[in-house]
Amino acid sequence: MAGVLYVSLNMRAFIAYFAAACLISMGIGMALFVLIPNITEYRKFKDAPLVPVTELSKIQQRYRRHVEVNFTYQYEGKSFTSERFQSFQTFTQEDDRFRAIKSRSLSDLALFCYVDPAEPSQAVLVNDFDYFSFWMLLVGFVLFPLSLACYAIYCGRYEARIQNG
């Protein structure tokens, strides 16, 4: 009977540590593969020059979150085509950004894009930093899993202390 109790307490600590490892890997993975690339893309186009768009051949919104564009621009005497809508991926602002670009393209107002001077074939129509999306990614997908991992480690240590007497 004591052996069964020992195994179940040991298993509880193991489960807590395993959950902590999963949460830590999720938080670090979201930081490395979503948050940091998002910020570096925004910073790449932060001080990029504005160049007039010569032709906007396609702008449509798919699946309420994904905007498909195709535009042509001239930079340093060469013509380039890009299919990138924005540099910083957002949760909430894409509808408003899409409507603003769509209405600007339908009117007679000039449309501009941001061109990366280091790589002129890279351009975006929108280069806004969305603080809500940044904090949602940071707190919701990085810090929250890491804080849950700390709690799981605490629970595992508690179970280990109970086991050791």
Side-chain angles (χ1 to χ4, degrees):
M1 184 69 158
V4 172
L5 183 61
Y6 174 78
V7 170
S8 66
L9 287 176
N10 197 9
M11 185 57 93
R12 285 183 180 175
F14 173 76
I15 290 171
Y17 290 138
F18 181 74
C22 291
L23 288 166
I24 288 171
S25 64
M26 185 178 89
I28 291 172
M30 287 300 287
L32 290 177
F33 298 116
V34 177
L35 184 63
I36 293 173
N38 226 354
I39 292 171
T40 54
E41 280 298 305
Y42 166 74
R43 301 246 337 138
K44 182 168 73 170
F45 289 101
K46 184 178 178 220
D47 298 324
L50 275 173
V51 174
V53 173
T54 56
E55 180 188 355
L56 181 64
S57 58
K58 176 182 177 183
I59 182 164
Q60 62 186 2
Q61 192 172 26
R62 297 233 181 231
Y63 309 115
R64 179 138 168 83
R65 287 285 174 231
H66 182 68
V67 176
E68 294 178 355
V69 296
N70 192 341
F71 59 94
T72 307
Y73 59 95
Q74 297 263 340
Y75 186 74
E76 294 180 347
K78 295 181 181 176
S79 183
F80 297 97
T81 302
S82 179
E83 295 180 350
R84 292 187 60 193
F85 179 66
Q86 61 188 0
S87 61
F88 189 84
Q89 298 296 318
T90 65
F91 292 119
T92 59
Q93 302 286 323
E94 197 162 311
D95 290 339
D96 297 335
R97 293 172 177 178
F98 168 74
R99 276 188 238 115
I101 297 293
K102 182 78 169 173
S103 67
R104 195 167 184 93
S105 70
L106 294 175
S107 68
D108 291 335
L109 298 173
L111 193 60
F112 294 94
C113 64
Y114 297 88
V115 178
D116 182 11
E119 197 171 334
S121 62
Q122 299 280 322
V124 294
L125 286 177
V126 179
N127 190 34
D128 294 336
F129 188 80
D130 184 27
Y131 287 99
F132 177 78
S133 295
F134 169 74
W135 287 108
M136 179 65 73
L137 285 169
L138 181 66
V139 173
F141 295 120
V142 177
L143 296 179
F144 184 67
L146 293 177
S147 63
L148 284 178
C150 290
Y151 180 70
I153 289 171
Y154 169 76
C155 291
R157 299 283 300 162
Y158 178 76
E159 291 296 330
R161 280 194 304 266
I162 287 176
Q163 175 188 352
N164 292 334

